[in-house]
Structure formats: structure tokens, C-alpha cells
Amino acid sequence: MALVEPAFLLFALIACLLYRCASRFESIRPFVLVALSLFFYSTWNPWYCLPITITALLDFNTAWLLVRTQNTRLRSLLITTDITLNLLILAVFKYFNFLLQNAATFFSAFGHTLPPAPFRVVFMVGISFYTFQSMSYVIDVYRGEQKPARGFMEYFAFVTFFPTLLAGPITRARVLLTQLQQPTRPLTDVQGSRALMMIARGFLKKLVFADYLSVNLVDRAFELPRMFSSLEMLIAVYAFAVQIYCDFSGYSDIAIGVAQLLGFTLPDNFNSPYRSESMVEFWRRWHISFSTWLRDYIFFALPPARRAKWRLYWNTLITFALGGIWHGASWTFLIWGLLHGFGLAVNHAAEAVWPRRGKQIPKRLFARMGGALLTFHFVCLTWIFFRCDSLQQVHEILIGLTRWSTDLVNIPWPIPVLIGLAILAQWWPDNWQRWTENRFALWPSTAQAVALSGVAFLIAWTSHTAVTQFIYFKF
Amino acid sequence: MKLSKTWFTIFVFGLLSLFPYTLPSMEHFQFLNIRRLSAPLAAWGPDALDKVFVRPRPVNAPALVPPSAPTIAAETEEEPPPNSLLSGDYVGKNWPLQDDVKEIVSQQADQVSIQDFGCGMGHFYEALLHTAERQPGAVTRICHFGDSPISGDLISGAARTLLQDKFGDSGHGFIFIAKPWDFYYHEGIHMEGKGWKVSSPVLPGAGGGSYGLGGASFTASTPAAYSHIRTTSKGEGSAVSRYDIFYRAQPHGGSFTASIDKDPARDFPTDSETRGSAMVTINVKDGSHTLTITPQGDGTVTLYGVALERDNPGVVYDTLGLLGGTVHHLTFFHEDWIADLQNRRPDLVILNFGTNESNYGYLPYAEYIHSYSLVIQRIRKALPDASILIMSPMDRGARDDDGDIVTIPSIPILVAAQQSVARAQGVAFFNTFAAMGGMGTMGRWYDNQPRLVTGDFTHPSYTGAAQLGSMLVNALLKGFEDYKKNLGGTPCAPPGEVAKTTPASNP
């Protein structure tokens, strides 16, 4: 069940009502949440519930042992074993086919032929997200930064929490587990209105912006680039930048909105990333839950860069290379990660050479615009690697971009309009957004319902095509 | 319990959402597909584990159909085929193709070859034999009419490369002077055109009228319009030694200039007492060139396209795709199209439609047969000796309620209809659908690494197009080998009886 399916709306409504009723009884609350989440996950495939249960049991018990052990060696052994097993499960369900394929290529180079695999493992949606979420809990307990869960069901509810289960945001234990341990508070009008607004915004981003761009330009342009002129390819790359933002942030909006209706407040996952003036700023605004995870659990775990500056750059490269591989078993994702690591390293180096003289001196407008343009185009370049299935496809697109042809016959007029609107919205001031949310909360129920229905009818009217899958379900 | 404001908003929203379901005119505003509400529960089937650990299947495996898809591949005499596929809304009742559809979907990929119902492929094979013997001037020409995959030179481009690699490169063939629509491309050609008004039956606002060989015309009256057509600078497809420019001669027609590379431009008037298609030829030194065409501004100029050729023996393969085209569109083409066809003198004409017809909610069967027959009759009249081959549509997929990619039911019906036309008209037939692997192919091709089809489950990827082109060429070469073996011996034996079952309408 995808989050934009009508069935999900019905499910979410029933789930919220059930959970709100169950929240009066403290002891059964986690059971109800787990049951709802497992039901939701099993609509993808009931067998998916097995690995997530194993992961939760493994991490819960490891944390339980960690708080009861003072022996440093034993604690190290426990955490190492736990991380290894987590990554092993992830590797089986995510990297099995890739590893087998590359092993066959490797052996064939030496004249050996491996027998064909008897089966291939289908990627299990959500596994990357819940594995990282669960691992972060154990690491936090190991570091003494997180109190352990009071019981397994409470922890299992944290790992399987259905709004974030499929594609995040990767929520830390100190955010979600803590709220699970507290009594559920009634939904205020402001919270409720904000939740409904976020859900509507998420649907709008996904079904109007992302899907229209995907079906009407991006898919064709990336799959058959020779049909498109250089200018059209460039627009297709911009369109993909908007598509992936609207797709993923739309999903996050729906997840955060539904969580809010259940009574949980989750942090934002995106904050107008395309207005970033540097790569460092971009990663503070893009997929925030993932970038902070990488920072806290990989970057900080690497040998520190106190003495050698190069180590900072090297660590950044390593962190983002792993971040790239996390997205999928493919060379294109690795290069995407390396390019981002390189961009960040250059950014850090530039700041070291030309340090800012205090924040009192504001940057000139053209410098800010230049920084935003440069950052946006660098990010767009990396999206080409992200979108393509193979390096051959990347090559085709780069060749297409450099043909210097300017036909625009493949671009229907709504495409530039949607791209322009999405990019302009990035500069929508934060206080305006808060103002809009607060004003909406003051509207009477009927007016709110009419506004939401207007959005729903607009979505129904514009989405003539079948719903495409969320991009981040693949990871 | 007091209902909070948020829940009351949701309640009112729910009521308002039901409003479009009460009026048929509000159908477009229904955003909850009620039928899909139970779809997520389908995951709980007994085969759930098989969807986690999937056994690999070869790309062009024999027809395998997901359990939920309509299937007749496994039908037996005792178990009649489901109505949805054989006599549903798509063709109406009492249509004559039930047996043919059974034959189509049960055909195995490795059994597919060219079915030469009228023994008409002999002319093409004879031309190919002369080309293979490198006889002077022995150029074998193929005109491949089709829909979007041909407009994008996807299958035809691969077939051209394979045939030219084997028999020699005699040029790119016919191309438009500018992109008439999106999804137009010609491998090895860089094209840029601005300022032309494009008319075609497949474009909005067009109807009857004069169209050239490719089914589109380009009109301009000011020198601001231009076209640059450049062959790649080196390698395959880079050389050209002759440009044949096709235009409409008409009273008060203006002139256009054509220049090759940086040579001085030459003027060509299109003014004529009578109206009709005409052609001018520009000979150049064999090699890579850029052709630039511009109207002079002294009147209206209408161009149809340009053919790039070389004089050495080889194959010329014209890509003549119409975006969103159906065979019915070819019936709009009259004198100019026939004149251009006669100017091109193809040895083989391929008709490759069906994908867009598969979108119809209902196939007017008699009219469809009539359109195909009419087009074949016209080609025969224009080119009495040319071989004609009907190439069936590819498989086309859609996701069913379980999310599986299955063959849409209209495809095998269209393939059967086209086979029956070929049989009735005595022309050759190639079953692309079966050659790909039959029912469910799009699902397998989409899951393949690298992907062989794009995400619309309709168009082949470059790799998939190369496979399809190769399937067609292999079938043609097999027919050619059989022809050579039988030279001077037994003439072609048509497969089955001609006009076995189908009452082809009188064109």
C-alpha cells in the first residue's frame, strides 16, 4: 500500500481513530500501533514482516545487554556483532543480486563461469530506512546517549512506525521512542490543521508536480535521450531535480502529517534545498534525517581530522561514498555519492582558504545568487548519475547535453511552468509558510474541508496518468 | 466525546469527496478509485514468498502469464477462453478471429518467421541478392511505415545498421527536414529546423490534404525558416553522395535555396502550373555533409523531406514513423504520397502499426480490415512489384490490480487481425509479438537488466529496440536464405491457405 493510494487514506483514517481510542489504555497502545504497522507493511508482502521482526529483536536485545554490561571489550564485541548482522541482513535483501552479478563478471575475467543464481532477491521496500533507524538506537544506547526502551513492543512500535516505515524520515529514538513513552496528547486545532495541510501538500507535490514531470518528460528523456535536443535534455535534468524533490518531500510531508494526526511530532526532512548557496548548506536542507544520520554515525565514527586537514576531506568522501551505496547497489550511486563528497570537500577547502569574516557582513546579492546557481547546477549534474541505471546511460545523456541543439518540440508548456513554480516556491519565506499554516488553522472546519476538497479535485483533474511509485521506495 | 475540529474537517471533507460520484459529468474529479481499495490485500496470496525470491526467466521465454492476467496460452479444448480476451468489448460479438488469436498467443518465439502468404517477398529477396552480389547500382530500398517506435528510429535504426553492415551502406534514406513532433529521431543525423509550419494527419487541426512520403509537410514563406541536416562526421552513416529533396510543386509557389556545407546556395523554384509532388536531386562528393534549406521569401514553399543516398550497392532503409499513427492515417495520403512512393521505388514496404489501435476502447473490426486492405491496394497500385510485409505490433503492457505488468488484451486481437489481412491480401506477415515472447513479454523485458522497455511498457529502450531490429532482420535473412536455396527450384509455398477465414472488405 503506497501512501498516495486511496486505500492508504482510508487505512490512515481508521488507524488514527483506533490508535487515539487505544491511547487511553497505556499498556495496549504499543500493541495497537505494532498491529497497525505490521498490517500496513504486510500489504506489500506478508513475508517482509519477518526480517523487520528479526532486526528489531536483534537490536532490542543487544541494547538490553549493553546497558547491563560494563566490560568494555564485551560491549565492543556486542555492538560490532550487532552492526555486522544488521548490515548482513541489509546486504542479503539489497545487495545480493549486485554482488552475485559482479562476482560472475569477476570470475569470467579469469575464465571461470559461475552457475546462474537459482533465484534473485526482490528488494524489500523500507529495509534501508528501518535498518538505519534501528541501528541508530543501538549505537545511541552504546554511546550512552539514549535510554533503552522499556519493553520490546514499545521498541517494535518505534521500528515499525508505519508513517515512516517505507521511506523515512529516519527518526531517532530520542524523538520517536521518547514520544511513545509519554502519554498521547489530544490533537490541538493548530496541529490538526497543519497535519491536514501537510498531507494535502504532499499529495499535490507528488501527484501533480512529480508525476506530471516524470510521465511527460523525465522518463522519456532519460530512457531515450537521443530523441531530445540539448536544451530539452537540460530541461529534463531540471525537471528531474524538481521531480525528485517533490516526490520525496511530498512523501515526507504525508508521513509527517499522518504521524501528527496519530499524535507524534516529527522533524522536517526538507527545507527548500534548491535555494542553498553551497553544498554544505544543501545537505543541511536536503533529506535532513539521512544527512544527520551520516554525520552522526559515519563521519563522526571515522578517525578525527584535528591535525590533518586532508583527513576532513577524505572522511567527507568516505561518508558520502557510503551514502551513495546506501541508495542502491550500483556504480552510478557510488559516483553520485563521491561527487557530493567531492563537492562538500571543495566547499570546506574554499571556506578554509577564504574564511568568512563574521556573519555581520552579509554576502552581496550577486554572490548569493551565484552560489545558489552553482550549487543547483552541481546538484543537477549529480542527479544525472542518480537517475541513470548505468554508466552507459549517463554517457548518452552527457553527450546529448553537449550536442548544442536547441529544438523545444518535446516540451509541452506545463513543464516549464511546473519547474518554475517549484523552484520559485523554494524562496517562499519560512515565516510566510508559518503564517499560512496559522491562518488555515483559524478557518472554520467547513472552509478547511472545502479547501482540501479543492486540492483533491485539482489532483484528480490533473492526474490523468497512473500513479507512479515513489522514487525513494527503491532505496 | 466531543468531535475535535480536525476530525470534523475530515468528516466534511469525506462527504464532499463523495460528491463527484453522484454526477456522471463530475467523473474527472473522482480521486478515490473505489475499485482499488481492496487491491493491497492481494499481497496476501499463497505465492507471496515467490515474490521475494524470484526465479529468473529468460527474456524471450515461452508465453508465461501472471495468474491474474487473462490468458489463453494454456487453454484447452475443454476449457473455453475467457470472454474478456476473445469477444469482449474490444471487438464486439460474432467476430471471426477466435481461432487466430489462439494461434497467435500459442506461437513460440523460436518458431516465428516471415509468413509469406502471397509469395510476394520474392521481389525483395531478388533485389537483396543483386545487392549481395555487389552488382553496380544494386541498391535495395526498404520503406518502413509505423508508429512511435519507428518515428524514433528505434527498431528501424537497429535493422538499418544490421542490414547495411551485411549488404553495404547506401545512405540514410528518407528523413524529414525538421522535427515534426516530439519522438522523431534519425540515427546518425543531426537536424535542426525552425520556422516551419508542420501539417500532418497525426497533428491537431489537420485532416485531408497533401502529405509526402513521411506523412507530414513543412510550409514556410519567409527566409527566417531554415533547416540544417548534418550527417555524423565520421563512422557509420556519415557518408552521403546524393540528396533528393521532395517538395510540393504548386501554382504561385515560392523558391527555396539549398546549400551543401559552405558551397554557394542553389535556388529551386516550386512554382508550377499543376499541383503535385516533385523532387530535385543534388549530387555531392561521397562523404559527410551539411545540407541547409531556406525559403527565399518569394512565396509559399512546402517541403516533404529529403532522401540521403549513396551510389554504391547496399541497403537504404527509410524510417517513416508517425507519432500516434495508425494504419488508418495512411488512408489520408493520396497523390503526393503515391508519387513520392514511386520516386523512392522501394523493394520492400513494411507496415508496422497496432500499438495506438490497442488504446481504442472498441476496435471497429470491419473498418480496420478495410483500412489495411485499402493501404495495401494503393501500395500495390503504385508499386506493382514491391514486396509488402505487415509487421505486427509489439507486446504492450499495463499494471493489473496486483501491480504485475501484463499484456493488454487488445494486443493479441490486433495481431490476429493483421495476420488475417496479410492472409487475405496475400502479403507477408511477421509476428513481432510472438517473436518477443508473447503474453507478458513487457513485464519480463521491463524487469530485465538492462531494461528492454521504457516505463510506459510500450516503447522499447535502445537495447530492446536493438533486439527487435535483430529479430526482424534475422527473419528477413532466414527468408532470404530459403529463397536462395530454392532459386530455380520449387517456388515459394505459402503457409496455409490464402484467404482462409477472413472476409476482407472490398477496398
Side-chain angles (χ1 to χ4, degrees), chain A residues 161-187:
Chain A
F161 187 59
F162 76 85
T164 62
L165 178 58
L166 302 180
I170 305 166
T171 315
R172 303 294 177 84
R174 63 175 163 269
V175 173
L176 189 55
L177 197 58
T178 312
Q179 292 183 67
L180 274 165
Q181 289 167 347
Q182 292 165 356
T184 309
R185 291 176 188 161
L187 197 66

Tab-separated table of all heavy atoms in Angstrom, chain A residues 161-187:
chain	number	residue	atom	x	y	z
A	161	PHE	N	6.987	1.854	12.952
A	161	PHE	CA	6.070	3.003	12.903
A	161	PHE	C	5.655	3.275	11.443
A	161	PHE	O	6.467	3.708	10.623
A	161	PHE	CB	6.778	4.211	13.501
A	161	PHE	CG	5.889	5.407	13.663
A	161	PHE	CD1	4.738	5.348	14.440
A	161	PHE	CD2	6.198	6.609	13.059
A	161	PHE	CE1	3.928	6.455	14.598
A	161	PHE	CE2	5.394	7.725	13.211
A	161	PHE	CZ	4.253	7.646	13.977
A	162	PHE	N	4.396	3.000	11.102
A	162	PHE	CA	4.023	2.892	9.689
A	162	PHE	C	4.165	4.181	8.860
A	162	PHE	O	4.517	4.107	7.689
A	162	PHE	CB	2.625	2.269	9.530
A	162	PHE	CG	1.468	3.163	9.827
A	162	PHE	CD1	0.946	4.014	8.872
A	162	PHE	CD2	0.881	3.168	11.081
A	162	PHE	CE1	-0.127	4.845	9.159
A	162	PHE	CE2	-0.196	3.998	11.369
A	162	PHE	CZ	-0.698	4.850	10.401
A	163	PRO	N	3.945	5.381	9.427
A	163	PRO	CA	4.095	6.540	8.536
A	163	PRO	C	5.527	6.689	7.981
A	163	PRO	O	5.718	7.179	6.872
A	163	PRO	CB	3.734	7.734	9.428
A	163	PRO	CG	2.867	7.162	10.493
A	163	PRO	CD	3.419	5.791	10.744
A	164	THR	N	6.525	6.264	8.748
A	164	THR	CA	7.918	6.460	8.302
A	164	THR	C	8.564	5.160	7.839
A	164	THR	O	9.730	5.155	7.481
A	164	THR	CB	8.768	7.035	9.451
A	164	THR	OG1	8.789	6.094	10.530
A	164	THR	CG2	8.212	8.353	9.948
A	165	LEU	N	7.803	4.071	7.858
A	165	LEU	CA	8.405	2.753	7.635
A	165	LEU	C	8.990	2.593	6.222
A	165	LEU	O	10.070	2.036	6.041
A	165	LEU	CB	7.348	1.670	7.893
A	165	LEU	CG	7.735	0.218	7.665
A	165	LEU	CD1	8.928	-0.177	8.522
A	165	LEU	CD2	6.571	-0.700	7.980
A	166	LEU	N	8.309	3.109	5.221
A	166	LEU	CA	8.711	2.812	3.846
A	166	LEU	C	9.883	3.665	3.367
A	166	LEU	O	10.752	3.186	2.651
A	166	LEU	CB	7.521	2.998	2.901
A	166	LEU	CG	6.285	2.141	3.200
A	166	LEU	CD1	5.203	2.425	2.185
A	166	LEU	CD2	6.637	0.671	3.199
A	167	ALA	N	9.873	4.937	3.709
A	167	ALA	CA	10.939	5.811	3.179
A	167	ALA	C	11.269	6.940	4.145
A	167	ALA	O	11.588	8.045	3.720
A	167	ALA	CB	10.509	6.377	1.829
A	168	GLY	N	11.211	6.662	5.413
A	168	GLY	CA	11.610	7.659	6.397
A	168	GLY	C	10.570	8.738	6.612
A	168	GLY	O	9.424	8.567	6.214
A	169	PRO	N	10.896	9.858	7.214
A	169	PRO	CA	12.224	10.247	7.669
A	169	PRO	C	12.803	9.246	8.693
A	169	PRO	O	12.050	8.673	9.486
A	169	PRO	CB	11.985	11.601	8.350
A	169	PRO	CG	10.642	12.052	7.918
A	169	PRO	CD	9.875	10.860	7.539
A	170	ILE	N	14.141	9.078	8.627
A	170	ILE	CA	14.816	8.178	9.572
A	170	ILE	C	14.762	8.877	10.931
A	170	ILE	O	15.465	9.859	11.157
A	170	ILE	CB	16.275	7.920	9.132
A	170	ILE	CG1	16.322	7.401	7.696
A	170	ILE	CG2	16.964	6.959	10.081
A	170	ILE	CD1	17.709	7.431	7.073
A	171	THR	N	13.888	8.384	11.785
A	171	THR	CA	13.623	9.104	13.028
A	171	THR	C	14.430	8.510	14.169
A	171	THR	O	14.465	7.290	14.344
A	171	THR	CB	12.119	9.039	13.351
A	171	THR	OG1	11.396	9.320	12.144
A	171	THR	CG2	11.738	10.057	14.395
A	172	ARG	N	15.085	9.369	14.911
A	172	ARG	CA	15.920	8.887	16.022
A	172	ARG	C	15.047	8.445	17.193
A	172	ARG	O	13.945	8.951	17.387
A	172	ARG	CB	16.838	10.003	16.514
A	172	ARG	CG	17.729	10.599	15.464
A	172	ARG	CD	18.753	9.602	14.965
A	172	ARG	NE	19.527	10.227	13.911
A	172	ARG	CZ	20.592	11.008	14.138
A	172	ARG	NH1	20.992	11.240	15.361
A	172	ARG	NH2	21.228	11.543	13.130
A	173	ALA	N	15.644	7.566	18.002
A	173	ALA	CA	14.918	7.060	19.172
A	173	ALA	C	14.570	8.202	20.121
A	173	ALA	O	13.503	8.213	20.727
A	173	ALA	CB	15.773	6.017	19.876
A	174	ARG	N	15.477	9.174	20.217
A	174	ARG	CA	15.217	10.255	21.180
A	174	ARG	C	14.029	11.126	20.761
A	174	ARG	O	13.476	11.853	21.566
A	174	ARG	CB	16.458	11.116	21.401
A	174	ARG	CG	16.972	11.859	20.219
A	174	ARG	CD	18.135	12.774	20.626
A	174	ARG	NE	18.889	13.180	19.454
A	174	ARG	CZ	19.920	12.542	18.965
A	174	ARG	NH1	20.334	11.424	19.553
A	174	ARG	NH2	20.542	12.974	17.890
A	175	VAL	N	13.641	11.024	19.484
A	175	VAL	CA	12.481	11.775	19.013
A	175	VAL	C	11.215	10.922	19.123
A	175	VAL	O	10.247	11.323	19.769
A	175	VAL	CB	12.682	12.231	17.539
A	175	VAL	CG1	11.421	12.865	16.982
A	175	VAL	CG2	13.853	13.185	17.443
A	176	LEU	N	11.251	9.736	18.520
A	176	LEU	CA	10.026	8.933	18.414
A	176	LEU	C	9.785	8.060	19.642
A	176	LEU	O	8.679	8.009	20.175
A	176	LEU	CB	10.103	8.087	17.137
A	176	LEU	CG	8.842	7.347	16.744
A	176	LEU	CD1	7.651	8.283	16.630
A	176	LEU	CD2	9.038	6.643	15.398
A	177	LEU	N	10.855	7.372	20.084
A	177	LEU	CA	10.706	6.472	21.240
A	177	LEU	C	10.289	7.274	22.472
A	177	LEU	O	9.457	6.832	23.269
A	177	LEU	CB	12.025	5.729	21.479
A	177	LEU	CG	11.972	4.485	22.357
A	177	LEU	CD1	11.010	3.459	21.798
A	177	LEU	CD2	13.358	3.855	22.472
A	178	THR	N	10.871	8.437	22.607
A	178	THR	CA	10.530	9.295	23.749
A	178	THR	C	9.041	9.644	23.732
A	178	THR	O	8.381	9.628	24.770
A	178	THR	CB	11.373	10.586	23.694
A	178	THR	OG1	12.728	10.224	23.472
A	178	THR	CG2	11.265	11.377	24.989
A	179	GLN	N	8.522	9.948	22.525
A	179	GLN	CA	7.093	10.296	22.435
A	179	GLN	C	6.209	9.080	22.698
A	179	GLN	O	5.103	9.211	23.220
A	179	GLN	CB	6.781	10.889	21.063
A	179	GLN	CG	7.426	12.257	20.839
A	179	GLN	CD	7.041	12.863	19.496
A	179	GLN	OE1	5.900	13.215	19.277
A	179	GLN	NE2	8.009	12.975	18.604
A	180	LEU	N	6.733	7.887	22.304
A	180	LEU	CA	5.977	6.653	22.575
A	180	LEU	C	5.890	6.389	24.068
A	180	LEU	O	4.955	5.738	24.540
A	180	LEU	CB	6.657	5.472	21.887
A	180	LEU	CG	6.292	5.209	20.429
A	180	LEU	CD1	7.293	4.269	19.790
A	180	LEU	CD2	4.896	4.597	20.353
A	181	GLN	N	6.895	6.852	24.799
A	181	GLN	CA	6.933	6.603	26.242
A	181	GLN	C	6.068	7.592	27.011
A	181	GLN	O	5.812	7.401	28.183
A	181	GLN	CB	8.391	6.668	26.735
A	181	GLN	CG	9.199	5.473	26.255
A	181	GLN	CD	10.702	5.632	26.442
A	181	GLN	OE1	11.185	6.727	26.721
A	181	GLN	NE2	11.431	4.551	26.289
A	182	GLN	N	5.634	8.655	26.335
A	182	GLN	CA	4.805	9.655	27.008
A	182	GLN	C	3.333	9.423	26.656
A	182	GLN	O	3.030	8.872	25.597
A	182	GLN	CB	5.212	11.060	26.544
A	182	GLN	CG	6.596	11.452	27.032
A	182	GLN	CD	7.142	12.656	26.294
A	182	GLN	OE1	6.528	13.166	25.362
A	182	GLN	NE2	8.311	13.093	26.704
A	183	PRO	N	2.441	9.897	27.523
A	183	PRO	CA	1.014	9.746	27.210
A	183	PRO	C	0.641	10.541	25.957
A	183	PRO	O	1.234	11.599	25.695
A	183	PRO	CB	0.300	10.321	28.433
A	183	PRO	CG	1.340	10.623	29.437
A	183	PRO	CD	2.677	10.550	28.819
A	184	THR	N	-0.284	10.017	25.178
A	184	THR	CA	-0.698	10.715	23.955
A	184	THR	C	-1.498	11.961	24.308
A	184	THR	O	-2.426	11.892	25.108
A	184	THR	CB	-1.573	9.790	23.090
A	184	THR	OG1	-0.888	8.556	22.939
A	184	THR	CG2	-1.860	10.398	21.736
A	185	ARG	N	-1.112	13.067	23.721
A	185	ARG	CA	-1.825	14.325	23.993
A	185	ARG	C	-2.916	14.526	22.961
A	185	ARG	O	-2.779	14.079	21.815
A	185	ARG	CB	-0.843	15.491	23.915
A	185	ARG	CG	0.152	15.487	25.059
A	185	ARG	CD	1.147	16.592	24.889
A	185	ARG	NE	2.203	16.486	25.877
A	185	ARG	CZ	3.374	17.072	25.777
A	185	ARG	NH1	3.648	17.797	24.722
A	185	ARG	NH2	4.272	16.946	26.716
A	186	PRO	N	-3.980	15.206	23.378
A	186	PRO	CA	-5.027	15.477	22.379
A	186	PRO	C	-4.490	16.373	21.271
A	186	PRO	O	-3.578	17.173	21.490
A	186	PRO	CB	-6.121	16.182	23.173
A	186	PRO	CG	-5.637	16.338	24.562
A	186	PRO	CD	-4.290	15.756	24.699
A	187	LEU	N	-5.080	16.215	20.106
A	187	LEU	CA	-4.639	16.977	18.932
A	187	LEU	C	-5.187	18.406	19.032
A	187	LEU	O	-6.398	18.598	19.133
A	187	LEU	CB	-5.201	16.287	17.683
A	187	LEU	CG	-4.611	16.616	16.338
A	187	LEU	CD1	-3.177	16.152	16.236
A	187	LEU	CD2	-5.444	15.949	15.248
